[in-house]
Amino acid sequence: GRARAVAMPPRRRSERAGATDAGAPSNPRPVPTAAGEKPARVQVVVLGDFGRSPRMQYHALSLADSLGADVDVVAYVGSEPRREVAVHPNIRMALIPPPPRWTTSRRVPRIVALAVRVATQTAQMLWTTAVALPRPTHVLLQTPPCVPSFAVCGLVCFIRRAKFVIDWHNFAYTLMALKFGTSSPIVFVARVYERMLGRLGHAHLAVTDAMATWLHERWGITNAVVLHDAPPEFFRPASVTETRALMRRLAPALEASPARVPGDCCDAIGGGDPLTTTTTTTTT
């Protein structure tokens, strides 16, 4: 019955000492447990589209493969995850519907829409993580968003005697400031909430050294471990043929794009090798 500490599975070392990469483990091997001891059971919580969160999918795979843990993914109904995740015998999906669409309408006062979203998410998360799913040994939460995730996951971990692990991708209050403005009382409350309840975590992961340093110096979270994003082994460089075929398929959309300028990648489709830069994850 007592929650155990779980070390993250082996990763490839990055150039910076002490930091690790978030790629899927090579040669995964379940970690043996003591006689009669049940394997860890981890709830991986993503208050968003799990299929658009490669990092959390890699976490789920690593926990299931390298640690032999049972993984329950709590996330919104949305995009299909990678096949390795979808068919893994140790990974189960507990999907919840997203908040009502009308809460994103500009016709609804923001404070009303926000209150309805938070109330809906709180009820869904509490029921799923505290009642519907078996008792976890650990809860791994992606943030942002942190409202109401920090409060709900912290409460669930307290009630069910589990360890709370927070994976910091960004700061929620800074994203809210882009929508409501930096001087908004909502942003001020969100910042206080994020800072105070973020300390509920028993362990913390950060995507960059700068974020881990910021958490340490500004918010007093001293135990954040840097886990860099890195492509897993199933990624590989595309061949020249594959690259040109892709660009030909994209040509109509690129040609019609209002962002196109003379000399950009659109002009290279016919013969050269265009360079396309994209983000590592999709944020909605």
Side-chain angles (χ1 to χ4, degrees), residues 247-279:
M247 297 309 297
R248 281 195 295 270
R249 291 200 303 271
L250 295 177
L254 294 174
E255 291 285 349
S257 172
R260 183 189 174 190
V261 295
D264 65 8
C265 64
C266 299
D267 295 332
I269 292 175
D273 293 321
L275 173 66
T276 303
T277 303
T278 183
T279 55

PDB file of all heavy atoms in Angstrom, residues 247-279:
ATOM      1  N   MET A 247       6.967  18.069 -50.239  1.00  0.00           N
ATOM      2  CA  MET A 247       6.873  19.458 -50.662  1.00  0.00           C
ATOM      3  C   MET A 247       5.946  19.623 -51.859  1.00  0.00           C
ATOM      4  O   MET A 247       5.267  20.640 -51.998  1.00  0.00           O
ATOM      5  CB  MET A 247       8.264  20.018 -50.970  1.00  0.00           C
ATOM      6  CG  MET A 247       9.208  20.059 -49.773  1.00  0.00           C
ATOM      7  SD  MET A 247       8.503  20.863 -48.316  1.00  0.00           S
ATOM      8  CE  MET A 247       8.235  22.521 -48.913  1.00  0.00           C
ATOM      9  N   ARG A 248       5.909  18.610 -52.727  1.00  0.00           N
ATOM     10  CA  ARG A 248       4.975  18.681 -53.864  1.00  0.00           C
ATOM     11  C   ARG A 248       3.536  18.631 -53.361  1.00  0.00           C
ATOM     12  O   ARG A 248       2.659  19.308 -53.893  1.00  0.00           O
ATOM     13  CB  ARG A 248       5.249  17.537 -54.853  1.00  0.00           C
ATOM     14  CG  ARG A 248       6.438  17.787 -55.781  1.00  0.00           C
ATOM     15  CD  ARG A 248       6.435  16.812 -56.954  1.00  0.00           C
ATOM     16  NE  ARG A 248       6.627  15.428 -56.509  1.00  0.00           N
ATOM     17  CZ  ARG A 248       7.818  14.842 -56.382  1.00  0.00           C
ATOM     18  NH1 ARG A 248       8.916  15.532 -56.669  1.00  0.00           N
ATOM     19  NH2 ARG A 248       7.913  13.606 -55.992  1.00  0.00           N
ATOM     20  N   ARG A 249       3.276  17.815 -52.327  1.00  0.00           N
ATOM     21  CA  ARG A 249       1.928  17.741 -51.772  1.00  0.00           C
ATOM     22  C   ARG A 249       1.551  19.056 -51.094  1.00  0.00           C
ATOM     23  O   ARG A 249       0.389  19.458 -51.089  1.00  0.00           O
ATOM     24  CB  ARG A 249       1.828  16.602 -50.751  1.00  0.00           C
ATOM     25  CG  ARG A 249       1.926  15.207 -51.347  1.00  0.00           C
ATOM     26  CD  ARG A 249       1.338  14.165 -50.411  1.00  0.00           C
ATOM     27  NE  ARG A 249       1.975  14.173 -49.101  1.00  0.00           N
ATOM     28  CZ  ARG A 249       3.053  13.467 -48.788  1.00  0.00           C
ATOM     29  NH1 ARG A 249       3.636  12.708 -49.715  1.00  0.00           N
ATOM     30  NH2 ARG A 249       3.558  13.510 -47.570  1.00  0.00           N
ATOM     31  N   LEU A 250       2.539  19.736 -50.506  1.00  0.00           N
ATOM     32  CA  LEU A 250       2.277  20.983 -49.802  1.00  0.00           C
ATOM     33  C   LEU A 250       2.273  22.195 -50.730  1.00  0.00           C
ATOM     34  O   LEU A 250       1.856  23.275 -50.319  1.00  0.00           O
ATOM     35  CB  LEU A 250       3.347  21.212 -48.718  1.00  0.00           C
ATOM     36  CG  LEU A 250       3.382  20.211 -47.559  1.00  0.00           C
ATOM     37  CD1 LEU A 250       4.536  20.540 -46.623  1.00  0.00           C
ATOM     38  CD2 LEU A 250       2.067  20.221 -46.800  1.00  0.00           C
ATOM     39  N   ALA A 251       2.742  22.012 -51.952  1.00  0.00           N
ATOM     40  CA  ALA A 251       2.917  23.141 -52.869  1.00  0.00           C
ATOM     41  C   ALA A 251       1.673  24.010 -53.029  1.00  0.00           C
ATOM     42  O   ALA A 251       1.773  25.246 -52.952  1.00  0.00           O
ATOM     43  CB  ALA A 251       3.404  22.634 -54.235  1.00  0.00           C
ATOM     44  N   PRO A 252       0.478  23.437 -53.241  1.00  0.00           N
ATOM     45  CA  PRO A 252      -0.698  24.302 -53.421  1.00  0.00           C
ATOM     46  C   PRO A 252      -0.957  25.203 -52.219  1.00  0.00           C
ATOM     47  O   PRO A 252      -1.256  26.394 -52.382  1.00  0.00           O
ATOM     48  CB  PRO A 252      -1.838  23.295 -53.621  1.00  0.00           C
ATOM     49  CG  PRO A 252      -1.170  22.070 -54.168  1.00  0.00           C
ATOM     50  CD  PRO A 252       0.152  22.012 -53.461  1.00  0.00           C
ATOM     51  N   ALA A 253      -0.848  24.650 -51.006  1.00  0.00           N
ATOM     52  CA  ALA A 253      -1.092  25.452 -49.805  1.00  0.00           C
ATOM     53  C   ALA A 253      -0.005  26.506 -49.621  1.00  0.00           C
ATOM     54  O   ALA A 253      -0.287  27.643 -49.221  1.00  0.00           O
ATOM     55  CB  ALA A 253      -1.161  24.547 -48.577  1.00  0.00           C
ATOM     56  N   LEU A 254       1.245  26.146 -49.927  1.00  0.00           N
ATOM     57  CA  LEU A 254       2.340  27.095 -49.771  1.00  0.00           C
ATOM     58  C   LEU A 254       2.234  28.224 -50.789  1.00  0.00           C
ATOM     59  O   LEU A 254       2.495  29.391 -50.471  1.00  0.00           O
ATOM     60  CB  LEU A 254       3.685  26.377 -49.919  1.00  0.00           C
ATOM     61  CG  LEU A 254       4.031  25.348 -48.834  1.00  0.00           C
ATOM     62  CD1 LEU A 254       5.310  24.607 -49.194  1.00  0.00           C
ATOM     63  CD2 LEU A 254       4.178  26.025 -47.486  1.00  0.00           C
ATOM     64  N   GLU A 255       1.851  27.873 -52.013  1.00  0.00           N
ATOM     65  CA  GLU A 255       1.720  28.888 -53.054  1.00  0.00           C
ATOM     66  C   GLU A 255       0.618  29.897 -52.711  1.00  0.00           C
ATOM     67  O   GLU A 255       0.727  31.082 -53.007  1.00  0.00           O
ATOM     68  CB  GLU A 255       1.397  28.223 -54.392  1.00  0.00           C
ATOM     69  CG  GLU A 255       2.547  27.414 -54.981  1.00  0.00           C
ATOM     70  CD  GLU A 255       3.629  28.294 -55.577  1.00  0.00           C
ATOM     71  OE1 GLU A 255       3.392  29.514 -55.711  1.00  0.00           O
ATOM     72  OE2 GLU A 255       4.712  27.770 -55.896  1.00  0.00           O
ATOM     73  N   ALA A 256      -0.448  29.411 -52.064  1.00  0.00           N
ATOM     74  CA  ALA A 256      -1.586  30.269 -51.744  1.00  0.00           C
ATOM     75  C   ALA A 256      -1.427  31.007 -50.416  1.00  0.00           C
ATOM     76  O   ALA A 256      -2.249  31.851 -50.087  1.00  0.00           O
ATOM     77  CB  ALA A 256      -2.869  29.431 -51.698  1.00  0.00           C
ATOM     78  N   SER A 257      -0.377  30.707 -49.671  1.00  0.00           N
ATOM     79  CA  SER A 257      -0.208  31.304 -48.353  1.00  0.00           C
ATOM     80  C   SER A 257       0.055  32.811 -48.449  1.00  0.00           C
ATOM     81  O   SER A 257       0.906  33.252 -49.226  1.00  0.00           O
ATOM     82  CB  SER A 257       0.960  30.638 -47.610  1.00  0.00           C
ATOM     83  OG  SER A 257       1.244  31.330 -46.405  1.00  0.00           O
ATOM     84  N   PRO A 258      -0.651  33.621 -47.653  1.00  0.00           N
ATOM     85  CA  PRO A 258      -0.396  35.065 -47.663  1.00  0.00           C
ATOM     86  C   PRO A 258       0.963  35.420 -47.054  1.00  0.00           C
ATOM     87  O   PRO A 258       1.442  36.538 -47.220  1.00  0.00           O
ATOM     88  CB  PRO A 258      -1.541  35.623 -46.811  1.00  0.00           C
ATOM     89  CG  PRO A 258      -1.939  34.487 -45.926  1.00  0.00           C
ATOM     90  CD  PRO A 258      -1.754  33.251 -46.753  1.00  0.00           C
ATOM     91  N   ALA A 259       1.581  34.447 -46.363  1.00  0.00           N
ATOM     92  CA  ALA A 259       2.874  34.700 -45.735  1.00  0.00           C
ATOM     93  C   ALA A 259       4.038  34.473 -46.691  1.00  0.00           C
ATOM     94  O   ALA A 259       5.190  34.725 -46.353  1.00  0.00           O
ATOM     95  CB  ALA A 259       3.049  33.803 -44.507  1.00  0.00           C
ATOM     96  N   ARG A 260       3.735  34.015 -47.910  1.00  0.00           N
ATOM     97  CA  ARG A 260       4.796  33.717 -48.858  1.00  0.00           C
ATOM     98  C   ARG A 260       5.510  34.986 -49.310  1.00  0.00           C
ATOM     99  O   ARG A 260       4.877  36.015 -49.542  1.00  0.00           O
ATOM    100  CB  ARG A 260       4.226  33.005 -50.080  1.00  0.00           C
ATOM    101  CG  ARG A 260       5.325  32.603 -51.059  1.00  0.00           C
ATOM    102  CD  ARG A 260       4.746  32.108 -52.368  1.00  0.00           C
ATOM    103  NE  ARG A 260       5.831  31.871 -53.318  1.00  0.00           N
ATOM    104  CZ  ARG A 260       5.659  31.621 -54.601  1.00  0.00           C
ATOM    105  NH1 ARG A 260       4.446  31.563 -55.098  1.00  0.00           N
ATOM    106  NH2 ARG A 260       6.693  31.429 -55.394  1.00  0.00           N
ATOM    107  N   VAL A 261       6.830  34.884 -49.424  1.00  0.00           N
ATOM    108  CA  VAL A 261       7.645  35.983 -49.935  1.00  0.00           C
ATOM    109  C   VAL A 261       8.571  35.434 -51.012  1.00  0.00           C
ATOM    110  O   VAL A 261       8.906  34.251 -51.005  1.00  0.00           O
ATOM    111  CB  VAL A 261       8.482  36.644 -48.806  1.00  0.00           C
ATOM    112  CG1 VAL A 261       7.575  37.303 -47.787  1.00  0.00           C
ATOM    113  CG2 VAL A 261       9.399  35.629 -48.138  1.00  0.00           C
ATOM    114  N   PRO A 262       8.991  36.272 -51.973  1.00  0.00           N
ATOM    115  CA  PRO A 262       9.892  35.803 -53.031  1.00  0.00           C
ATOM    116  C   PRO A 262      11.181  35.233 -52.444  1.00  0.00           C
ATOM    117  O   PRO A 262      11.763  35.792 -51.516  1.00  0.00           O
ATOM    118  CB  PRO A 262      10.168  37.070 -53.851  1.00  0.00           C
ATOM    119  CG  PRO A 262       8.976  37.943 -53.592  1.00  0.00           C
ATOM    120  CD  PRO A 262       8.587  37.673 -52.177  1.00  0.00           C
ATOM    121  N   GLY A 263      11.581  34.087 -52.989  1.00  0.00           N
ATOM    122  CA  GLY A 263      12.831  33.477 -52.560  1.00  0.00           C
ATOM    123  C   GLY A 263      12.691  32.534 -51.384  1.00  0.00           C
ATOM    124  O   GLY A 263      13.694  31.990 -50.908  1.00  0.00           O
ATOM    125  N   ASP A 264      11.455  32.307 -50.904  1.00  0.00           N
ATOM    126  CA  ASP A 264      11.302  31.403 -49.752  1.00  0.00           C
ATOM    127  C   ASP A 264      11.246  29.964 -50.242  1.00  0.00           C
ATOM    128  O   ASP A 264      11.533  29.663 -51.400  1.00  0.00           O
ATOM    129  CB  ASP A 264      10.076  31.776 -48.919  1.00  0.00           C
ATOM    130  CG  ASP A 264       8.767  31.587 -49.685  1.00  0.00           C
ATOM    131  OD1 ASP A 264       8.804  31.031 -50.799  1.00  0.00           O
ATOM    132  OD2 ASP A 264       7.711  31.992 -49.160  1.00  0.00           O
ATOM    133  N   CYS A 265      10.838  29.056 -49.338  1.00  0.00           N
ATOM    134  CA  CYS A 265      10.903  27.635 -49.665  1.00  0.00           C
ATOM    135  C   CYS A 265       9.992  27.261 -50.839  1.00  0.00           C
ATOM    136  O   CYS A 265      10.246  26.266 -51.522  1.00  0.00           O
ATOM    137  CB  CYS A 265      10.547  26.792 -48.443  1.00  0.00           C
ATOM    138  SG  CYS A 265       8.850  27.001 -47.859  1.00  0.00           S
ATOM    139  N   CYS A 266       8.941  28.039 -51.091  1.00  0.00           N
ATOM    140  CA  CYS A 266       8.047  27.711 -52.203  1.00  0.00           C
ATOM    141  C   CYS A 266       8.801  27.696 -53.531  1.00  0.00           C
ATOM    142  O   CYS A 266       8.528  26.887 -54.413  1.00  0.00           O
ATOM    143  CB  CYS A 266       6.896  28.712 -52.275  1.00  0.00           C
ATOM    144  SG  CYS A 266       5.857  28.745 -50.797  1.00  0.00           S
ATOM    145  N   ASP A 267       9.760  28.622 -53.699  1.00  0.00           N
ATOM    146  CA  ASP A 267      10.508  28.705 -54.947  1.00  0.00           C
ATOM    147  C   ASP A 267      11.528  27.583 -55.083  1.00  0.00           C
ATOM    148  O   ASP A 267      12.074  27.371 -56.159  1.00  0.00           O
ATOM    149  CB  ASP A 267      11.236  30.052 -55.032  1.00  0.00           C
ATOM    150  CG  ASP A 267      10.258  31.219 -55.118  1.00  0.00           C
ATOM    151  OD1 ASP A 267       9.142  31.000 -55.622  1.00  0.00           O
ATOM    152  OD2 ASP A 267      10.603  32.321 -54.653  1.00  0.00           O
ATOM    153  N   ALA A 268      11.787  26.869 -53.988  1.00  0.00           N
ATOM    154  CA  ALA A 268      12.778  25.798 -54.035  1.00  0.00           C
ATOM    155  C   ALA A 268      12.164  24.436 -54.282  1.00  0.00           C
ATOM    156  O   ALA A 268      12.862  23.455 -54.442  1.00  0.00           O
ATOM    157  CB  ALA A 268      13.566  25.760 -52.718  1.00  0.00           C
ATOM    158  N   ILE A 269      10.815  24.379 -54.321  1.00  0.00           N
ATOM    159  CA  ILE A 269      10.155  23.084 -54.448  1.00  0.00           C
ATOM    160  C   ILE A 269      10.546  22.384 -55.746  1.00  0.00           C
ATOM    161  O   ILE A 269      10.732  21.177 -55.786  1.00  0.00           O
ATOM    162  CB  ILE A 269       8.621  23.257 -54.373  1.00  0.00           C
ATOM    163  CG1 ILE A 269       8.240  23.698 -52.958  1.00  0.00           C
ATOM    164  CG2 ILE A 269       7.899  21.968 -54.728  1.00  0.00           C
ATOM    165  CD1 ILE A 269       6.768  24.008 -52.800  1.00  0.00           C
ATOM    166  N   GLY A 270      10.698  23.160 -56.803  1.00  0.00           N
ATOM    167  CA  GLY A 270      10.982  22.539 -58.078  1.00  0.00           C
ATOM    168  C   GLY A 270      12.341  21.876 -58.164  1.00  0.00           C
ATOM    169  O   GLY A 270      12.498  20.882 -58.849  1.00  0.00           O
ATOM    170  N   GLY A 271      13.338  22.387 -57.489  1.00  0.00           N
ATOM    171  CA  GLY A 271      14.648  21.785 -57.664  1.00  0.00           C
ATOM    172  C   GLY A 271      15.502  21.743 -56.425  1.00  0.00           C
ATOM    173  O   GLY A 271      16.171  20.762 -56.165  1.00  0.00           O
ATOM    174  N   GLY A 272      15.461  22.791 -55.584  1.00  0.00           N
ATOM    175  CA  GLY A 272      16.341  22.820 -54.421  1.00  0.00           C
ATOM    176  C   GLY A 272      15.790  22.050 -53.246  1.00  0.00           C
ATOM    177  O   GLY A 272      14.800  21.336 -53.338  1.00  0.00           O
ATOM    178  N   ASP A 273      16.456  22.170 -52.108  1.00  0.00           N
ATOM    179  CA  ASP A 273      16.035  21.501 -50.882  1.00  0.00           C
ATOM    180  C   ASP A 273      15.586  22.556 -49.887  1.00  0.00           C
ATOM    181  O   ASP A 273      16.403  23.179 -49.211  1.00  0.00           O
ATOM    182  CB  ASP A 273      17.192  20.682 -50.282  1.00  0.00           C
ATOM    183  CG  ASP A 273      17.573  19.504 -51.178  1.00  0.00           C
ATOM    184  OD1 ASP A 273      16.653  18.898 -51.744  1.00  0.00           O
ATOM    185  OD2 ASP A 273      18.776  19.208 -51.283  1.00  0.00           O
ATOM    186  N   PRO A 274      14.289  22.812 -49.789  1.00  0.00           N
ATOM    187  CA  PRO A 274      13.802  23.836 -48.871  1.00  0.00           C
ATOM    188  C   PRO A 274      13.992  23.423 -47.418  1.00  0.00           C
ATOM    189  O   PRO A 274      13.996  22.235 -47.090  1.00  0.00           O
ATOM    190  CB  PRO A 274      12.314  23.931 -49.212  1.00  0.00           C
ATOM    191  CG  PRO A 274      11.979  22.595 -49.787  1.00  0.00           C
ATOM    192  CD  PRO A 274      13.213  22.159 -50.529  1.00  0.00           C
ATOM    193  N   LEU A 275      14.145  24.410 -46.570  1.00  0.00           N
ATOM    194  CA  LEU A 275      14.301  24.174 -45.142  1.00  0.00           C
ATOM    195  C   LEU A 275      13.035  24.628 -44.438  1.00  0.00           C
ATOM    196  O   LEU A 275      12.607  25.770 -44.582  1.00  0.00           O
ATOM    197  CB  LEU A 275      15.502  24.952 -44.598  1.00  0.00           C
ATOM    198  CG  LEU A 275      15.681  24.931 -43.070  1.00  0.00           C
ATOM    199  CD1 LEU A 275      15.999  23.503 -42.616  1.00  0.00           C
ATOM    200  CD2 LEU A 275      16.797  25.886 -42.653  1.00  0.00           C
ATOM    201  N   THR A 276      12.405  23.721 -43.714  1.00  0.00           N
ATOM    202  CA  THR A 276      11.190  24.035 -42.980  1.00  0.00           C
ATOM    203  C   THR A 276      11.457  23.912 -41.500  1.00  0.00           C
ATOM    204  O   THR A 276      11.991  22.902 -41.042  1.00  0.00           O
ATOM    205  CB  THR A 276      10.045  23.075 -43.376  1.00  0.00           C
ATOM    206  OG1 THR A 276       9.839  23.160 -44.784  1.00  0.00           O
ATOM    207  CG2 THR A 276       8.765  23.435 -42.643  1.00  0.00           C
ATOM    208  N   THR A 277      11.108  24.961 -40.753  1.00  0.00           N
ATOM    209  CA  THR A 277      11.296  24.943 -39.303  1.00  0.00           C
ATOM    210  C   THR A 277       9.940  24.864 -38.633  1.00  0.00           C
ATOM    211  O   THR A 277       9.016  25.580 -38.996  1.00  0.00           O
ATOM    212  CB  THR A 277      12.011  26.224 -38.831  1.00  0.00           C
ATOM    213  OG1 THR A 277      13.262  26.335 -39.529  1.00  0.00           O
ATOM    214  CG2 THR A 277      12.281  26.180 -37.334  1.00  0.00           C
ATOM    215  N   THR A 278       9.818  23.985 -37.648  1.00  0.00           N
ATOM    216  CA  THR A 278       8.553  23.821 -36.945  1.00  0.00           C
ATOM    217  C   THR A 278       8.813  23.624 -35.470  1.00  0.00           C
ATOM    218  O   THR A 278       9.953  23.410 -35.048  1.00  0.00           O
ATOM    219  CB  THR A 278       7.775  22.618 -37.506  1.00  0.00           C
ATOM    220  OG1 THR A 278       6.514  22.539 -36.839  1.00  0.00           O
ATOM    221  CG2 THR A 278       8.523  21.316 -37.275  1.00  0.00           C
ATOM    222  N   THR A 279       7.757  23.717 -34.671  1.00  0.00           N
ATOM    223  CA  THR A 279       7.890  23.490 -33.240  1.00  0.00           C
ATOM    224  C   THR A 279       7.950  21.999 -32.950  1.00  0.00           C
ATOM    225  O   THR A 279       7.589  21.171 -33.786  1.00  0.00           O
ATOM    226  CB  THR A 279       6.690  24.090 -32.500  1.00  0.00           C
ATOM    227  OG1 THR A 279       5.501  23.533 -33.065  1.00  0.00           O
ATOM    228  CG2 THR A 279       6.656  25.601 -32.650  1.00  0.00           C
TER     229      THR A 279
END
